[in-house]
Amino acid sequence: MKWLRRGAIALACLLLLLVVLAGAGLWWLRTGVPAESGTVALDGLSGPVRIYRDGHGIPTIFAQSDGDAYFALGWLHAQDRLWQMELQRRIGAGRLSELIGSSGLNLDKLMRTLGFYRLAEADVAAQSPEMRAALDRYAAGVNAWIDGHPGALPPEFTLLRTRPERWQPADTLVWSKLMALQLSANYRDEILRAQVIARLGPDRAGTLFPDLGALPPSTLAALDQAAPMLTALAQALPPPLGPRTASNEWVVGPSRTDTGAPILANDPHLGLNAPILWYLARIETPTLSVAGATAPGVPLVVLGQNRRIAWGFTTTGADVQDLFLETVDPADPTHYRTPDGSAAFEKRTETIAVSGGDPVTLTIRGTRHGPVLSDLDPGMAELAGKDKVVALAFTALAPGDTTADALYRLNRAGSWPEFLAAMRSFRSPIQNVAYADGDGNIGFIVPGAIPIRRSGNGKLPADGASGAQDWTGMIPFEALPQALNPPGGAIANANNPPVGPDYPYYLGDGYDEPYRARRIVELLNADGPNSVARSQAMQADTLTTEARDLLPLMMMIDPADDRMAKALALLRGWDLRMDRNRPEPLLYMEWLRRFAHAVFDAPLGPLAEDYFGLHPTVLATILSRDPSWCGDAKTPPSDCGALLRRTLGEALDALGQRHGADMAAWRWGSEHIAPLEAQVLSRVPVVGSLISLATPTDGGPYTLNRGATAIIDPQDPYAHTHGAGYRAVYDLGDRSRSSFMIATGQSGNPLSPHWGDLVADWRDGRYLTLHGGEADLAAAGESLTTLQPRQ
């Protein structure tokens, strides 16, 4: 038995060694968590900078110059979010495959084809001297941290065996191009509309796309011919960078508030990851006082307030992208046809490095409209008989983008004229920008480059050779939608159309369902003056108003059994609030999802996944006026009752299997969980569970407290993946009462105490403030880091 004892001793020693090594590794990784106090000497500063951090690690920067403040912000962003910054610049540059291998190729090919990083490098020269200086000073701060940090880098660098390169100004400017692509992806809609029309015909497709309008035979014939190539293009495109719609903003004038000063509220809705996109910060210099949401990688406050004004953004849904079907010249395949004859394709070649594989060479062609997307997959040419290619026109691909300069001026604007002057430089992504100032003014504008078309409205791919639907220019700045102090004393937007039918230009149709906008107006018009507390409660509101229209139509059925009768009774007594501790939201969503699948899946076939969503306005139309979708289109039923009963039964069966037979014990929060996952570490076995920030949440896809879900995911359809990563309510009467919150925490390092220390506050609708002088912050016990020039 001695060999057993020796084996046991050896095993124990091995386990001890592994524990020691794991402990040493953990100790080393913890050296990457920055200290929040002390004095640091750095090259590149012109004077000392004092940084006070509250208990959540949120910094207030006191500097004697704006340049030193930007340096300090870059240093802080690198401390807390360096991996996030590294990942976003690599995505923008088309260099993801260098890190993750061939799984990054599709995205890299798209980014190289669009040429985002080349454009960003060229755009540096288009900025004002002040903005160029800010870019340089910010980059110097990032690099000062990279060069001077003695401890471990964030764990992702170790896992992927890489190190950060030095930060460049173009790394900052590529951020807005990534946001433009995410928030302006209507070219994908053009592909889907064309596919659906080819499959179902224009009349049937018109139900699914209510604003499609009548189509001439020539358009239908061209789309039918192009459908195979467009389908191949859809398959070659990488997944979208993230959700592209949904945010809330409202601004209330002084006559309607309890303070006699404007109140502005804003909560942009994007993907909910860990860390969240936003980083809270406040900057104080002799010439700048600004606070709010910064984006790591960018030296400016993107959403926030300064001494005189506050501002907020929602996505407009403007149509700033068009696909053009270009005709290859049959006499010379290096050329394509234009209204003025044959023109040569622009051409360049790029090489993509691939971790663990051979480099990939990509030949990129361009036309007068833009880059050729169909070259992403060489096989697409065969589908179109080698005589067609698909090119993308996109306003974000125009050179000389000055959006960064617009944000620089916005941070300093003190009046409506100065605000408008800043917005004149704004290019993309197109946003609805709400405004309020300390003098009692409220306003709104939709700034940016929005194309004017010779004909048509850009809803479908257009013929490139004829020039009939070419862009003839951009909407003049003075004609962009804007308002100052409207008669109603309030302005609200929740991705609904910012203009009425009389507006002389076509903006787009990428608008969200109208339910959140209606709810904002309803709550703003409630009895009593508006207050900061009311706006905070509105941002936490969970009433799902689409159910007012849809649920009565769904419940006009006779129950098939007692269980179904109990379910219908439960829904009839529901207050329509998407409360995580109630069963009704889960029952409603499971039934609605199954009914939507039953309606859309069969007619759409392979296109169902791309189209699929709850589409409450379309489903309400089907239930009230077009029941043919509830059966065979050739022999439609008289109503949708049978399908509703079937899908309700299926929903009850599924929920019973997952949560037991007692409906009263079901809970929305058991499935409506915000995963808040890290893009790399959450996918590592064991590590992912150890760093998890997942939490049950309230809200749903159409509530003000946005709880949009991964509805197309059959395994986890109600995961809360999209919502308000940042919330703010700005009090223009006393900015110390302005309130802020982000979804996760300030740090992107799971070993930091600020990795997820704001999750519960965010989930439960709590806020914090950003104010106070140096003496106040010192008295409050906030930690102090002093950056000083190296002697």
Side-chain angles (χ1 to χ4, degrees):
M1 300 297 290
K2 291 182 179 180
W3 65 272
L4 284 175
R5 288 195 296 271
R6 287 196 297 270
I9 292 171
L11 179 60
C13 291
L14 178 61
L15 291 175
L16 179 61
L17 178 62
L18 291 175
V19 169
V20 170
L21 290 175
L26 183 61
W27 174 85
W28 168 245
L29 290 175
R30 285 188 62 83
T31 64
V33 178
E36 295 185 8
S37 61
T39 299
V40 182
L42 296 169
D43 293 325
L45 285 170
S46 62
V49 178
R50 291 174 298 281
I51 302 169
Y52 290 87
R53 291 188 237 211
D54 68 9
H56 295 291
I58 299 168
T60 297
I61 299 168
F62 292 93
Q64 292 304 304
S65 70
D66 294 357
D68 280 352
Y70 291 134
F71 181 103
L73 184 62
W75 190 81
L76 287 166
H77 280 168
Q79 264 199 343
D80 289 330
R81 302 285 189 91
L82 184 62
W83 171 251
Q84 182 181 19
M85 296 164 64
E86 179 72 15
L87 188 60
Q88 87 187 7
R89 71 167 164 180
R90 281 185 174 271
I91 290 173
R95 296 179 55 197
L96 191 59
S97 299
E98 294 179 15
L99 292 180
I100 65 173
S102 59
S103 60
L105 269 174
N106 278 3
L107 186 56
D108 282 351
K109 287 180 179 180
L110 177 62
M111 293 302 165
R112 298 292 184 98
T113 297
L114 296 177
F116 273 171
Y117 199 79
R118 296 162 59 92
L119 288 165
E121 289 177 312
D123 285 347
V124 174
Q127 311 309 312
S128 68
E130 296 83 2
M131 184 62 214
R132 291 178 66 178
L135 291 170
D136 289 339
R137 299 293 289 135
Y138 178 83
V142 174
N143 293 327
W145 191 87
I146 293 173
D147 294 341
H149 176 60
L153 291 168
E156 293 90 342
F157 286 97
T158 300
L159 184 66
L160 295 173
R161 294 176 296 175
T162 189
R163 291 191 58 84
E165 299 172 0
R166 294 183 64 77
W167 195 261
Q168 304 294 333
D171 297 331
T172 291
L173 295 184
V174 81
W175 178 81
S176 69
K177 299 186 185 302
L178 292 174
M179 293 302 295
L181 182 64
Q182 177 177 337
L183 300 176
S184 312
N186 42 283
Y187 75 105
R188 294 177 183 264
D189 294 340
E190 292 186 30
I191 296 173
L192 181 60
R193 290 190 194 105
Q195 290 175 295
V196 172
I197 290 168
R199 180 179 177 87
L200 299 181
D203 293 339
R204 199 85 168 143
T207 300
L208 304 183
F209 303 105
D211 297 326
L212 189 59
L215 301 174
S218 59
T219 297
L220 296 175
L223 293 178
D224 188 61
Q225 179 186 3
M229 182 168 60
L230 293 172
T231 296
L233 175 57
Q235 294 170 348
L237 289 171
L241 293 176
R244 60 178 162 126
T245 60
S247 298
N248 302 322
E249 67 183 6
W250 56 88
V251 56
V252 187
S255 65
R256 298 184 57 181
T257 67
D258 61 345
T259 63
I263 292 171
L264 190 153
N266 183 213
D267 53 300
H269 306 165
L270 296 165
L272 295 177
N273 299 312
I276 204 65
L277 171 67
W278 308 108
Y279 181 95
L280 294 174
R282 176 177 161 228
I283 296 173
E284 298 289 337
T285 78
T287 56
L288 181 64
S289 176
V290 63
T294 69
V298 179
L300 308 167
V301 170
V302 180
L303 304 164
Q305 65 179 12
N306 62 26
R307 289 190 179 99
R308 297 288 304 146
I309 75 168
W311 63 94
F313 290 177
T314 64
T315 293
T316 308
D319 191 340
V320 295
Q321 297 170 330
D322 278 346
L323 292 176
F324 286 91
L325 302 174
E326 309 281 18
T327 301
V328 178
D329 188 338
D332 184 353
T334 67
H335 285 61
Y336 65 100
R337 289 177 171 173
T338 79
D340 300 319
S342 185
F345 285 105
E346 300 171 3
K347 184 181 286 189
R348 72 177 190 274
T349 300
E350 298 207 12
T351 301
I352 302 173
V354 181
S355 176
D358 295 330
V360 172
T361 300
L362 182 67
T363 299
I364 299 164
R365 291 185 293 174
T367 74
R368 64 194 184 94
H369 294 117
V372 174
L373 291 188
S374 51
D375 285 348
L376 290 172
D377 181 353
M380 287 186 222
E382 302 296 331
L383 296 172
K386 297 186 179 181
D387 66 336
K388 297 288 185 183
V389 298
V390 183
L392 173 68
F394 183 14
T395 56
L397 301 182
D401 187 347
T402 53
T403 301
D405 195 56
L407 289 178
Y408 180 92
R409 296 175 185 276
L410 177 60
N411 278 212
R412 290 161 173 76
S415 64
W416 177 253
E418 292 178 359
F419 168 77
L420 287 183
M423 293 297 94
R424 190 176 287 273
S425 298
F426 200 98
R427 302 295 294 173
S428 69
I430 307 301
Q431 299 287 285
N432 308 305
V433 186
Y435 167 93
D437 67 33
D439 294 328
N441 299 300
I442 65 172
F444 175 89
I445 189 171
V446 180
I450 304 174
I452 300 172
R453 296 167 176 85
R454 181 170 287 119
S455 66
N457 51 25
K459 292 179 186 289
L460 293 164
D463 175 44
S466 70
Q469 297 184 51
D470 281 0
W471 295 357
T472 60
M474 300 293 151
I475 298 177
F477 181 79
E478 289 73 18
L480 292 169
Q482 53 191 282
L484 177 65
N485 297 325
I491 301 168
N493 185 268
N495 311 109
N496 52 296
V499 295
D502 295 332
Y503 184 67
Y505 297 99
Y506 175 70
L507 288 184
D509 66 354
Y511 307 122
D512 205 10
E513 305 275 5
Y515 306 108
R516 286 180 296 115
R518 293 174 186 171
R519 182 62 173 162
I520 293 172
V521 173
E522 178 181 313
L523 292 174
L524 289 179
N525 290 338
D527 291 339
N530 286 279
S531 63
V532 167
R534 176 183 284 188
S535 283
Q536 291 175 343
M538 289 171 63
Q539 289 182 337
D541 184 67
T542 62
L543 190 75
T544 188
T545 56
E546 94 292 343
R548 290 173 175 171
D549 301 331
L550 195 54
L551 197 54
L553 297 172
M554 296 171 65
M555 293 193 299
M556 291 176 62
I557 57 173
D558 295 324
D561 52 37
D562 289 344
R563 184 185 62 159
M564 196 174 292
K566 290 178 181 178
L568 292 172
L570 191 65
L571 290 173
R572 288 192 184 97
W574 181 32
D575 63 3
L576 305 187
R577 294 190 179 276
M578 303 292 283
D579 185 330
R580 66 181 184 266
N581 296 311
R582 294 296 306 170
E584 298 92 344
L586 183 58
L587 173 58
Y588 166 66
M589 288 290 286
E590 182 77 5
W591 185 14
L592 181 57
R593 182 176 70 90
R594 288 178 178 274
F595 178 65
H597 269 301
V599 168
F600 299 133
D601 284 2
L604 287 173
L607 303 178
E609 183 174 344
D610 289 335
Y611 179 80
F612 187 73
L614 298 179
H615 297 289
T617 54
V618 173
L619 289 177
T621 297
I622 289 169
L623 285 170
S624 59
R625 298 198 296 271
D626 191 1
S628 66
W629 288 83
C630 294
D632 187 336
K634 297 178 181 178
T635 56
S638 59
D639 62 57
C640 294
L643 193 60
L644 286 165
R645 276 189 294 274
R646 192 195 90 196
T647 52
L648 177 55
E650 293 171 350
L652 293 172
D653 289 342
L655 291 174
Q657 290 175 1
R658 299 203 298 265
H659 302 291
D662 184 3
M663 293 182 203
W666 298 347
R667 294 291 179 265
W668 176 229
S670 66
E671 299 198 27
H672 191 247
I673 296 170
L676 298 172
E677 291 181 334
Q679 291 177 302
V680 174
L681 294 179
S682 291
R683 290 161 175 76
V684 178
V686 180
V687 172
S689 60
L690 292 175
I691 67 170
S692 174
L693 299 178
T695 185
T697 54
D698 300 315
Y702 306 107
T703 58
L704 291 187
N705 183 4
R706 181 81 171 197
T709 69
I711 198 70
I712 63 172
D713 182 352
Q715 302 302 318
D716 203 4
Y718 309 125
H720 181 183
T721 57
H722 176 208
Y726 170 69
R727 298 188 186 108
V729 180
Y730 308 102
D731 184 339
L732 276 297
D734 181 354
R735 63 182 185 150
S736 70
R737 292 197 297 259
S738 296
S739 52
F740 307 83
M741 184 52 60
I742 58 173
T744 53
Q746 288 286 93
S747 179
N749 191 326
L751 298 174
S752 167
H754 307 310
W755 163 246
D757 58 340
L758 293 173
V759 170
D761 290 329
W762 166 78
R763 178 197 63 204
D764 296 335
R766 292 188 287 270
Y767 295 81
L768 48 82
T769 57
L770 303 175
H771 67 93
E774 288 197 64
D776 301 318
L777 300 180
E782 295 196 0
S783 61
L784 172 62
T785 299
T786 300
L787 307 183
Q788 64 182 21
R790 194 186 304 275
Q791 299 299 321

